[in-house]
Amino acid sequence: MRSSSFFLAASLLAASLLSSAACSNGDGGGSSCKDYEPPASFDAQNPKVTLSNDVMPIFKQSCAFTACHGLQGSSNGVYLGQDQGQVHQNLVGVAAGELPSMSFVKAGDPRNSYLMRKIDASQCTLDAQCVDKSCGESMPRGEPQMPVETRDVIRRWIAQGAKND
């Protein structure tokens, strides 16, 4: 019985240490937060991507769950569910709740799109500007970061004008 208590305490300590290794809260204390920039070889204009064929399937697979961003009017920020027109309307040119000075998606400018910051896990570099000095967690929350190839599809869509196509 004693060894299981020790194991439980050690597991809790390890989990605590791992969770504290995430992005900083802006206090400058040992942050592991990094600002992501695509490599110089990244071509934002090719291949061509569309919201309907390329981006919506990513949202549906990674974001559009009822507990996340799948319900219109939920308190989980932006809607990324089944209604493409509503998704586009809620993203492009709309101020991000945690960082009102930045749009969720700024057409033509992935670097200044809050959505990209959240999925690139670089939103923590903006903590000082966010409400309550925290831009929150990266997305998808509680899941591994999307592969760079998947994130680049969204990045290209934004760079190519973030059209509702």
Side-chain angles (χ1 to χ4, degrees), residues 41-50 55 108 110 116 148-162:
S41 61
F42 174 73
D43 183 353
Q45 299 305 313
N46 292 297
K48 298 295 182 198
V49 297
T50 66
V55 178
M116 283 310 312
V148 71
E149 298 82 11
T150 302
R151 292 183 284 137
D152 282 347
V153 169
I154 299 169
R155 190 178 330 280
R156 282 187 179 95
W157 172 69
I158 295 170
Q160 294 170 17

Side-chain angles (χ1 to χ4, degrees), residues 20-24 29-35 121 124:
S20 68
C23 288
S24 92
S31 171
S32 64
C33 181
K34 292 191 170 63
D35 198 2
C124 45

Side-chain angles (χ1 to χ4, degrees), residues 21-123:
C23 288
S24 92
N25 60 7
D27 65 2
S31 171
S32 64
C33 181
K34 292 191 170 63
D35 198 2
Y36 177 82
E37 285 205 43
S41 61
F42 174 73
D43 183 353
Q45 299 305 313
N46 292 297
K48 298 295 182 198
V49 297
T50 66
L51 179 60
S52 59
N53 292 333
D54 304 297
V55 178
M56 287 299 292
I58 294 169
F59 290 162
K60 288 175 185 173
Q61 180 181 0
S62 302
C63 315
F65 308 109
T66 56
C68 298
H69 299 284
L71 294 176
Q72 291 186 39
S74 77
S75 61
N76 290 333
V78 66
Y79 169 72
L80 300 173
Q82 305 296 319
D83 183 338
Q84 177 178 319
Q86 193 64 50
V87 167
H88 187 267
Q89 183 177 337
N90 290 344
L91 282 178
V92 181
V94 175
E98 295 165 330
L99 183 58
S101 64
M102 185 178 271
S103 296
F104 281 113
V105 170
K106 183 175 180 183
D109 192 354
R111 178 129 177 93
N112 287 304
S113 296
Y114 191 62
L115 176 68
M116 283 310 312
R117 294 300 190 121
K118 292 290 271 190
I119 66 173
D120 280 335
S122 67
Q123 80 288 349

Side-chain angles (χ1 to χ4, degrees), residues 125-148:
T125 64
L126 304 170
D127 277 349
Q129 302 166 46
C130 280
V131 174
D132 297 328
K133 304 296 182 212
S134 175
C135 292
E137 298 177 51
S138 62
M139 294 292 141
R141 182 181 299 151
E143 298 292 326
Q145 186 176 34
M146 289 181 199
V148 71

